[in-house]
Amino acid sequence: MFEVKSRVNGNEMLIELIGQLDTGAAAKLDAEVRPHLDVPRDVIFDASKLVYISSSGLRILLAAKKAMDFAGGTMKVINTPAPVRSIFDVTGFSDILDIE
């Protein structure tokens, strides 16, 4: 099961990722995030409650990063648990995304 909670506060958008971000959940995340990526802002993904991320989820994060780079904003992933961090490391996404 996956849940996404987001809120925009001025120039910042905080997106909480909760549960398993698999192929089915990636579409839900994309629908939630994509409409907010056309203006320069700081997009912060809080992964503290994320237990798994699939290649589809990684693709959504990469698309968000590219959109923010294009729009002149920033994007980072914070509070990344060790199991999810290892997926970022193995796939090379640790070198592409700002992960804390």
Side-chain angles (χ1 to χ4, degrees):
M1 185 168 152
F2 178 74
E3 186 178 354
V4 59
K5 295 180 181 178
S6 64
R7 66 180 180 272
V8 176
N9 184 15
N11 197 37
E12 181 179 281
M13 181 176 188
L14 177 65
I15 303 157
E16 294 179 78
L17 307 174
I18 304 164
Q20 295 187 358
L21 181 47
D22 57 19
T23 302
K28 180 178 183 177
L29 177 60
D30 188 46
E32 178 76 26
V33 173
R34 186 174 299 270
H36 301 283
L37 300 180
D38 58 348
V39 297
R41 66 178 58 192
D42 299 321
V43 177
I44 302 165
F45 287 91
D46 183 348
S48 61
K49 296 177 185 169
L50 187 64
V51 296
Y52 172 78
I53 187 166
S54 72
S55 60
S56 298
L58 292 170
R59 188 174 64 246
I60 300 302
L61 293 181
L62 182 60
K65 167 78 169 130
K66 287 181 179 181
M68 284 296 86
D69 287 348
F70 183 77
T74 65
M75 189 199 101
K76 66 181 172 180
V77 182
I78 64 170
N79 303 321
T80 309
V84 175
R85 179 62 186 240
S86 69
I87 294 170
F88 287 133
D89 292 342
V90 167
T91 59
F93 273 70
S94 296
D95 298 330
I96 299 168
L97 303 177
D98 183 6
I99 301 172
E100 298 177 5

